[in-house]
Amino acid sequence: IDIAYIRLKIYLKIELNGEDELLLKNALEVVKNVPFIDEKGAKSPSACYAAQSRESEFC
């Protein structure tokens, strides 16, 4: 919801204040730390997931 709120403000061309930037930073940190769980139940870092259209160059 926090990321959607920030995206809406950017779309509506509403200037982001310091609180908005902190909210976005915290939301992105939470997303970054959430593990990805594949169909078999195996966990991996969210940055390392199997994309069918391209391979991740980070993993």
Side-chain angles (χ1 to χ4, degrees):
I1 299 238
D2 296 337
I3 295 172
Y5 171 74
I6 298 298
R7 290 186 67 184
L8 177 64
K9 285 186 86 168
I10 291 170
Y11 178 77
L12 296 174
K13 298 183 179 169
I14 299 171
E15 189 173 331
L16 300 179
N17 57 30
E19 185 178 313
D20 294 332
E21 292 170 2
L22 182 61
L23 184 68
L24 179 60
K25 179 183 171 195
N26 290 338
L28 291 175
E29 190 65 31
V30 168
V31 170
K32 179 180 155 188
N33 292 327
V34 172
F36 176 78
I37 301 174
D38 66 8
E39 299 86 29
K40 298 174 187 173
K43 290 183 181 180
S44 64
S46 61
C48 305
Y49 63 92
Q52 293 180 4
S53 61
R54 60 186 161 91
E55 272 190 48
S56 174
E57 58 188 65
F58 301 109
C59 299

